[in-house]
Structure formats: structure tokens, C-alpha cells
Amino acid sequence: DSVHFSGKIIPEMLDQLGTASWSSLNMLLSAAGILTLRRRNGINISVDSVFTYFMKPVQMDSIIEIATRVIDMGRSFCKVDIEMYKKKNLIAKSMISAKILR
């Protein structure tokens, strides 16, 4: 029931400290959650809220993996749990709540 994504941190994603900016990582996490919901049922959604916790910074050229899992899917709302890893170390954890548009 889970979907996995992987990729590399590129220079356009860095902040002034040389680590991946939280806004670009949050965008990646949100996009992975939305793609998981669309892939599951081909449904259209409207993101209601996103909660993200970042544990560690990520350097350029790091290979990251994103694992998504649909926690709950009702008639009109759904929730997705998203985790980001670097070499099996947890970097970020996110939860998306979305409204299903039918």
C-alpha cells in the first residue's frame, strides 16, 4: 500500500547555508503525497493541510528516498503519511490531509 520515490538534491534546492531548503523539501513531500493519491484511485484532490517535521539537514548531491502511505481514505477526505530518508536515516516526516473532489 506504499509508494517509494528517490532522487538527488540539486543546487537549485539549496539555501544560503548550503543545505536543502525546507521549502523545497516540503514541496517534494507534498508532491509525493499527491502523486500517491492520484496513482491509487485516479482521484482529484485539494490539499487541506500539511504538517512537516524536519529532523536533519540534507547536503547537496545526497540521494534521498521518500516513502508514502495512505493512512485513511473516506468519502470526502484522505490522509497520507510521508517519510523522507537518507541512507535509512529519517530526515523528515509529513502528514497531508486532503479533500477528495468528485
Side-chain angles (χ1 to χ4, degrees), residues 6-94:
S6 66
K8 186 166 92 169
I9 300 297
I10 58 174
E12 289 82 8
M13 300 169 75
L14 301 180
D15 61 9
Q16 61 271 19
L17 299 175
T19 60
S21 71
W22 289 359
S23 59
S24 62
L25 292 179
N26 203 19
M27 184 269 312
L28 281 175
L29 294 169
S30 298
I34 292 167
L35 286 172
T36 299
L37 289 171
R38 285 195 181 146
R39 186 180 223 181
R40 183 172 175 148
N41 289 338
I43 58 175
N44 291 324
I45 62 163
S46 172
V47 175
D48 209 21
S49 64
V50 179
F51 296 102
T52 305
Y53 297 97
F54 293 102
M55 278 52 129
K56 297 179 182 178
V58 185
Q59 301 295 324
M60 186 173 76
D61 291 332
S62 297
I63 303 296
I64 58 168
E65 296 177 17
I66 299 175
T68 63
R69 183 171 50 102
V70 177
I71 292 177
D72 182 38
M73 184 170 279
R75 293 176 118 185
S76 58
F77 285 96
C78 52
K79 290 182 177 56
V80 181
D81 178 52
I82 307 158
E83 296 175 337
M84 182 183 289
Y85 294 96
K86 176 187 164 195
K87 295 182 182 176
K88 298 187 180 182
N89 292 323
L90 186 64
I91 295 170
K93 187 159 179 80
S94 184

